[in-house]
Amino acid sequence: MIIFYDLAAKDGIRTWSPNPWKTRYVLNYKKLPYKTVALEYPDLEPEFKKLGIPPSSVNADGSGSYTSPSIIDEDNKVAVTDSYKIAEYLDKTYPATPSVIPPGTEVFQAAFYDQIEEITAPLWPLLLPRVAPKLLNSRSSEYFIRTRSAYFGMPLAHVEPQGELRIEGWKKVEAAFNTISGWMSKGKGPYLMGETVTFSDFVIGGLLEGIKYSFGEESEEWANIMKWNDGKWKAYIGSLEKYSSVEN
């Protein structure tokens, strides 16, 4: 059994963050049995230290950064953090399941994983101020506001651009999706590697799920995205829905 550590959500169902979505997609796609444990933000570090889950990165002060998604593979007594490393581990450990990083695509998958963060950077000032307290429980909300305010160097409530700056921000987000759509147009589709779903598709799927949940499925922002690139992203996220179960 795999224990999947997700982030707690206010409604107890879906996390706002694109990152755990990537791992949930992978687990469901591979049809691996797993159990979800949802943790509040301030509980990640003490719980992971207790369980022996390593930090995903090192902070500027040298301390470890403990993040979701993380997993413990109880059968093999292995703990892994970071969605890309988890995907690599699950491919290697369970070769009889569908591969999400097919042999020969490792360089592409790694490069896309790194690049997507850079090109979607304009999204976060628009999205992050909406996360707390709307989508988080009180303990996570306090933590999220404090840490993200420190990151931006201003109160999180003041981060979202307004007026013309907000319009320009969304134009940059649309341009990022145009770039991804342009990459995909070079192949036969509907996925980045053609007709086969791979980890990179789950990265995009996680991003779309995060946007949908943060702004709301009935929001103007989500409706606009569903129209971009001739409705590509509406069909895209719909095709991944069968791998998005949150029942566990």
Side-chain angles (χ1 to χ4, degrees):
M1 174 68 74
I2 292 170
I3 309 300
F4 165 47
Y5 293 92
D6 200 347
L7 293 168
K10 199 167 190 177
D11 64 9
I13 300 174
R14 293 175 182 269
T15 175
W16 76 272
S17 175
N19 294 317
W21 273 106
K22 303 167 193 173
T23 295
R24 187 177 291 279
Y25 274 131
V26 171
L27 290 166
N28 289 334
Y29 180 67
K30 288 179 168 292
K31 297 182 179 179
L32 292 169
Y34 68 96
K35 175 184 177 183
T36 301
V37 175
L39 295 175
E40 303 291 345
Y41 272 98
D43 295 334
L44 291 173
E45 182 171 347
E47 186 68 11
F48 287 0
K49 283 182 174 179
K50 181 176 70 176
L51 295 169
I53 297 175
S56 58
S57 60
V58 178
N59 296 316
D61 62 3
S63 63
S65 177
Y66 293 84
T67 58
S68 171
S70 294
I71 66 166
I72 291 180
D73 183 349
E74 292 187 320
D75 294 340
N76 294 293
K77 296 181 173 54
V78 175
V80 189
T81 192
D82 179 82
S83 59
Y84 192 87
K85 292 178 181 177
I86 291 170
E88 286 183 311
Y89 170 79
L90 294 175
D91 269 358
K92 180 180 179 180
T93 307
Y94 299 97
T97 64
S99 176
V100 294
I101 305 177
T105 73
E106 294 89 348
V107 173
F108 166 80
Q109 302 288 337
F112 183 84
Y113 185 62
D114 288 340
Q115 187 73 7
I116 193 70
E117 183 174 344
E118 180 178 343
I119 68 170
T120 59
L123 171 66
W124 306 116
L126 296 160
L127 185 150
L128 292 180
R130 296 172 176 267
V131 173
K134 177 184 175 184
L135 306 177
L136 300 178
N137 296 315
S138 58
R139 292 183 63 248
S140 284
S141 181
E142 185 280 327
Y143 177 92
F144 191 87
I145 292 171
R146 173 169 47 83
T147 56
R148 273 54 178 181
S149 296
Y151 174 82
F152 284 106
M154 67 176 74
L156 182 60
H158 298 168
V159 169
E160 184 176 3
Q162 303 297 320
E164 287 298 320
L165 290 177
R166 187 174 188 276
I167 293 172
E168 288 302 313
W170 275 109
K171 286 181 179 179
K172 292 178 181 178
V173 176
E174 184 175 6
F177 278 89
N178 289 342
T179 296
I180 300 169
S181 180
W183 292 340
M184 294 173 71
S185 70
K186 304 298 183 183
K188 296 181 179 180
Y191 303 111
L192 282 155
M193 301 300 298
E195 295 183 358
T196 303
V197 177
T198 66
F199 179 72
S200 292
D201 295 296
F202 295 144
V203 172
I204 299 174
L207 181 65
L208 289 168
E209 286 285 0
I211 295 171
K212 179 174 70 174
Y213 186 52
S214 298
F215 287 95
E217 197 166 357
E218 305 303 321
S219 67
E220 179 182 356
E221 291 88 352
W222 181 247
N224 288 337
I225 292 172
M226 292 297 93
K227 297 174 186 175
W228 289 350
N229 306 115
D230 298 319
K232 177 193 290 283
W233 308 114
K234 182 177 182 179
Y236 192 85
I237 195 170
S239 73
L240 298 178
E241 187 174 357
K242 56 183 171 289
Y243 310 123
S244 66
S245 170
V246 294
E247 296 175 2
N248 290 288

